[in-house]
Amino acid sequence: MNAPTPVAALAPTVKLLIGGKFVESKTTEWRNVVNPATQEVLARVPFATPEEIEAAVASAKQAFKTWRKTAIGTRARIFLKYQQLIRENMAELAALLTAEQGKTLPDAEGDVFRGLEVVEHAAGIGNLQLGELANNVANGVDTYTVLQPLGVCAGITPFNFPAMIPLWMFPMAIATGNTFILKPSEQDPMVTMRLCELALEAGIPAGVLNVVHGGEAAVNAICDHPDIKAVSFVGSTKVGTHVYQRASLAGKRVQCMMGAKNHAIVMPDANKEQSINAIVGASFGAAGQRCMAISVAVLVGEAQKWVPDFVAKAKALKLSAGTTPGTDLGPVISCAARERVEGLIERGVQEGATLELDGRKPNVPGFEKGNFVGPTVFSGVKPGMSIYDQEIFGPVLCIAAADDLEQAIEFINANPNGNGTAIFTQSGAAARMFQEDIDVGQVGINLPVPVPVPLFSFTGSRASKLGDLGPYGKQVVMFYTQTKTVTARWFDDSTLHHGVNTTISLK
């Protein structure tokens, strides 16, 4: 949540979405949306006024009165149409995302596609939002539950997945009968707004989906507003903790998916080539700007001899703008992000880690102004070093050592974060021991980024997650609904009456 910066006056403006209309903000605070590979100003994004945020919430509150009673089949068909529109506009969406965020075009398409999977899941809401029935719990008495929407809900999304994470949030919230306020990252809101345009084209009614932009003030307004019933957040641990505490104190349901330090164990029996390829791809893809990036490889026993192979594989990756064919990783999101990553690399050297590959100040022909950091590899990394204790959020792989699997598991479990982890091995016994004993929410076996498909839910744990329920899958249906339990008895003229019953039992 950075402060507004001086903006390019002639750049196009990003609009607010309030009451079904894309409107120009009346704010005096703006921020540039910058291409991280070129520093070209793509647009100006407003920091919405308190009055505009209030108008968005009021619009959502009014729309909820009718949307909550809209037939579940009607809601499902909107998302069937929506997934079709996303598919038809995939190339445009990926190009927008690459321009403002810096990912390679294939990775940008992957960003959109993983969100599309949740849209497809939302289209099956008729099978997801089912209650339960128990017949004849007492004489002539039935009990059943219904899952009813909460009201106005809100989502706060990060810069690193500007398509996927908004699509994690508003489709499931809206499909379950709620209305929604979305606050995208102010660093790359353009692809999010295009997705919202397509959502309206698919048939989402006016007021059901609203978008406001801004920084800390907008986040606080969402957390504090009495008419917002639930808040979903994905982003840094610092901001997520603030959101969770503030929104919880305001009486809201809150789910916060936050920072991470994801480890991959490499056993000596692992397939060497496949394991190194997988870990290097998961570490440096998206320039390391993934909450599920593998940032620490724990090499066990004889696998410690593979450090030069990791370095060689990382060194061969191509660094350029995301639009350049064959590029493996693009720039980080901003100049500030680049400076932070470079500073942590320097601290890693000062604190005693061995810098095997230095990605600072790379030469990227044609994109000399870009926010580039090349693949960087450290070995000899230990807890207490800044590069281990902090989430770098850049293309830096830390390599640690362990004598055996038990020591590697203890090493990972001692880290406060629990977003994702993986093991590479050909031993079923080792894999089973790992999945049983590891204290991390999402586990991969010979798979470096174990993000589940929407049939399941994102299940980070410990310091990586606040709140009980995940952001998609069956869990999110529970998050966005409240259970109403109905116990009913119907009488007819033939029913025997037993007089007054002053007990609590049903007979």
Side-chain angles (χ1 to χ4, degrees):
M1 297 185 295
N2 298 320
T5 56
V7 296
L10 297 181
T13 58
V14 178
K15 306 298 188 290
L16 307 173
L17 174 56
I18 301 175
K21 297 181 179 179
F22 292 93
V23 297
E24 193 77 70
S25 175
K26 296 181 180 179
T27 187
T28 58
E29 297 181 271
W30 297 82
R31 178 185 174 127
N32 289 335
V33 179
V34 177
N35 183 321
T38 65
Q39 306 306 320
E40 175 193 0
V41 177
L42 303 173
R44 297 179 294 145
V45 61
F47 279 42
T49 67
E51 293 78 15
E52 289 165 342
I53 295 173
E54 184 63 41
V57 177
S59 172
K61 185 178 180 182
Q62 180 64 30
F64 178 66
K65 296 177 181 178
T66 53
W67 180 245
R68 67 187 298 267
K69 295 183 178 180
T70 301
I72 200 166
T74 299
R75 286 183 256 146
R77 283 188 290 274
I78 287 173
F79 287 99
L80 281 172
K81 176 65 173 176
Y82 189 34
Q83 64 88 23
Q84 176 188 346
L85 290 172
I86 291 174
R87 288 182 183 277
E88 291 173 352
N89 292 273
M90 179 70 77
E92 177 199 358
L93 292 166
L96 267 175
L97 200 160
T98 294
E100 63 179 344
Q101 202 278 340
K103 291 184 181 184
T104 66
L105 282 170
D107 196 26
E109 287 194 7
D111 188 329
V112 178
F113 182 78
R114 291 309 300 264
L116 173 63
E117 290 181 320
V118 179
V119 176
E120 293 170 341
H121 195 61
I125 192 63
N127 291 321
L128 298 172
Q129 199 171 347
L130 296 175
E132 299 172 313
L133 169 67
N135 185 238
N136 286 325
V137 296
N139 185 26
V141 177
D142 302 326
T143 298
Y144 55 92
T145 62
V146 291
L147 303 181
Q148 297 187 319
L150 302 175
V152 181
C153 301
I156 301 164
T157 64
F159 76 84
N160 59 327
F161 283 94
M164 181 185 79
I165 294 178
L167 292 176
W168 278 10
M169 294 184 183
F170 74 80
M172 291 305 300
I174 290 171
T176 49
N178 300 282
T179 55
F180 205 79
I181 310 293
L182 178 64
K183 195 212 83 67
S185 170
E186 64 274 23
Q187 297 189 76
D188 50 5
M190 295 166 61
V191 71
T192 308
M193 296 309 296
R194 181 62 182 132
L195 286 166
C196 291
E197 290 175 2
L198 295 176
L200 297 193
E201 186 179 338
I204 290 180
V208 172
L209 174 62
N210 302 270
V211 183
V212 297
H213 303 286
E216 184 175 0
V219 169
N220 289 341
I222 287 170
C223 292
D224 296 343
H225 202 291
D227 290 330
I228 294 177
K229 305 303 181 184
V231 177
S232 180
F233 170 88
V234 177
S236 71
T237 297
K238 179 180 179 181
V239 180
T241 302
H242 170 79
V243 167
Y244 185 81
Q245 293 173 343
R246 189 157 183 156
S248 297
L249 287 173
K252 308 182 193 315
R253 292 187 183 183
V254 192
Q255 55 177 208
C256 291
M257 311 308 296
M258 307 185 299
K261 199 71 178 180
N262 304 313
H263 302 70
I265 293 176
V266 183
M267 299 296 291
D269 69 341
N271 183 295
K272 183 177 180 180
E273 183 70 13
Q274 291 179 354
S275 300
I276 292 174
N277 283 341
I279 291 172
V280 168
S283 177
F284 300 119
Q289 298 174 121
R290 295 172 178 157
C291 68
M292 288 294 290
I294 293 294
S295 53
V296 183
V298 184
L299 308 188
V300 176
E302 289 296 308
Q304 294 171 32
K305 297 178 180 178
W306 299 357
V307 171
D309 302 280
F310 277 94
V311 173
K313 190 71 68 172
K315 196 172 184 178
L317 297 177
K318 181 177 179 180
L319 179 68
S320 188
T323 53
T324 304
T327 297
D328 295 301
L329 65 158
V332 296
I333 187 67
S334 66
C335 296
R338 185 199 70 233
E339 291 168 1
R340 179 180 180 276
V341 173
E342 291 174 344
L344 282 166
I345 293 171
E346 179 59 30
R347 289 177 68 179
V349 173
Q350 294 173 358
E351 292 170 1
T354 301
L355 183 58
E356 304 278 358
L357 179 64
D358 189 351
R360 291 173 292 182
K361 312 299 183 186
N363 178 31
V364 185
F367 299 97
E368 288 77 12
K369 295 181 179 180
N371 308 319
F372 290 99
V373 181
T376 299
V377 180
F378 279 99
S379 64
V381 175
K382 299 176 181 179
M385 295 179 176
S386 299
I387 54 173
Y388 181 78
D389 293 345
Q390 296 186 35
E391 184 177 25
I392 300 174
F393 228 60
V396 180
L397 174 62
C398 298
I399 297 178
D403 294 333
D404 52 36
L405 178 57
E406 291 86 349
Q407 188 181 82
I409 290 173
E410 290 176 3
F411 182 83
I412 296 172
N413 286 345
N415 191 281
N417 295 291
N419 217 25
T421 189
I423 186 171
F424 289 84
T425 182
Q426 296 187 65
S427 167
R432 192 173 191 283
M433 176 182 174
F434 177 71
Q435 73 177 39
E436 288 292 313
D437 293 348
I438 203 71
D439 185 17
V440 175
Q442 296 168 121
V443 176
I445 297 173
N446 297 317
L447 187 75
V449 185
V451 178
V453 296
L455 295 173
F456 300 89
S457 189
F458 197 93
T459 52
S461 62
R462 294 191 280 150
S464 295
K465 178 183 179 183
L466 290 172
D468 295 329
L469 298 170
Y472 54 79
K474 293 180 181 178
Q475 289 188 20
V476 85
V477 175
M478 301 304 297
F479 179 75
Y480 283 125
T481 61
Q482 53 192 345
T483 302
K484 182 179 288 184
T485 305
V486 181
T487 302
R489 168 182 278 160
W490 293 95
F491 298 101
D492 58 34
D493 291 342
S494 64
T495 303
L496 293 176
H497 298 277
H498 299 284
V500 176
N501 179 13
T502 60
T503 73
I504 63 171
S505 64
L506 293 172
K507 297 180 179 178

